[in-house]
Amino acid sequence: MELRTLQYFLAVTKEENITRAAQNLHISQPYLSKQLIELEAELGKQLLIRGKRKITLTEDGILLRKRAEEIISLVEKTESDLTFNTNQISGEITIGGNSTNTVLEAATKLRQHHKGVHFQFYSSDATDVQERLEHGSIDFAILLQPVDITEYNVLNLPETSYWGLFMKSDDSLAKKETIKKEDIQNIPLIFHRRAGLQNLITDWAKTDITNLNIAATYNVINGSCTKFLNTNLGYFLTTRDLLENKLEPDYCFKPLDPPLTIQYALIWKRSASLSKAAQAFLEQLKKELE
C-alpha cells in the first residue's frame, strides 16, 4: 500500500466524487478509478459504495479513512521535524484534547522566543486522542484525571473543575442546592462514555454503572447541551468547565454533594522521542507550573 494511494483515497472520501477528486489531484478520472480498484483488490475489501450522485464508505472504508488520516499526519509531522534546522528550535507541536489556559500561556511564551514554532490543537474524545498519541501523530494530550501513569509521563495542570447535574431551571431537582447520590439513582442520565470517568462517578455514588439509568453517552460536547434537555432525553451529568461560563436563565447546574472535583493533566508517551520544539515546550510549561 503506497502513501500516494492513501492520499488518493482520502481525496475521494473528502469530495465524495471521483471526478472532482481527480480534478483536484490533477490526474485523470480513469487513472484514479484504477488506483482505487487496485487498492480494494490489494486489501481484499470493498471500501467504496459507488452511487449515482456520490460515493459513500463501507465500514472497512471508514476504518481505512481513519487510519489513512493518522498515517498521512504522522508522515507530514516526521518530514516537518526532520527538515527544520536542527540548530534552531522550530517545527510543529501537536496537542490533543481540551486545551487549558496554562498550556496556552506556555505556548504563547515559547513562540515569543522561537517564532519558528507553531502549534496544532486537535480536538476529539480521549480514546481517539490516546490512539493518536500511541501512533505518534500528536506529541501531547490533555485529559481529565485519572490517567494511566504506567503508560504515560504525566504533568498535572492547575486547572480543575467539578461534577454536577445540568438541567432545566423548572425541574424539581433545580430547587436543591446540591445533588446527592440518591438523586441520580432513578433519573435518566446523559453521561460521558469514558470508562475511567464512569468509574469515578460510580465510586462517588457507591453503586454499579448497571444500577444507573443511562439514557445516552457522549464523547465530546460540541456546542450547547440544551438541545438534549429540551427533548427531555435526560439530565446532563458533566463537569462545569464544559458548559458556557454564563448559563441561560432556563437552565442551571447543580454540583454534586459531597463535591467531586477533577483535574487536568498533560500526558506523553514514556517511550516517545520528543522533538527539540516539543522538549522546549515541556520546559516552558514546567516553568509556568513552578
Side-chain angles (χ1 to χ4, degrees), residues 1 6 37-47 60 64:
M1 190 189 311
L6 291 180
I37 292 171
E38 289 179 353
L39 177 62
E40 289 180 317
E42 179 183 355
L43 297 175
K45 301 285 187 178
Q46 181 183 357
L47 304 172
D60 290 315
L64 181 61

Side-chain angles (χ1 to χ4, degrees), residues 109-171:
K109 289 185 179 179
L110 183 63
R111 275 191 44 80
Q112 288 173 353
H113 296 94
H114 305 287
K115 299 298 184 183
V117 173
H118 61 278
F119 289 83
Q120 179 184 154
F121 292 97
Y122 177 78
S123 179
S124 186
D125 68 343
T127 301
D128 183 36
V129 166
Q130 285 181 265
E131 282 184 4
R132 289 178 180 267
L133 194 63
E134 287 294 325
H135 298 156
S137 58
I138 65 174
D139 299 299
F140 303 101
I142 302 170
L143 299 178
L144 287 174
Q145 295 274 27
V147 295
D148 185 359
I149 60 174
T150 63
E151 295 290 331
Y152 305 105
N153 292 305
V154 179
L155 195 60
N156 291 325
L157 300 173
E159 284 82 6
T160 61
S161 188
Y162 53 96
W163 284 90
L165 212 58
F166 184 49
M167 69 190 88
K168 291 181 179 179
S169 297
D170 60 359
D171 192 273

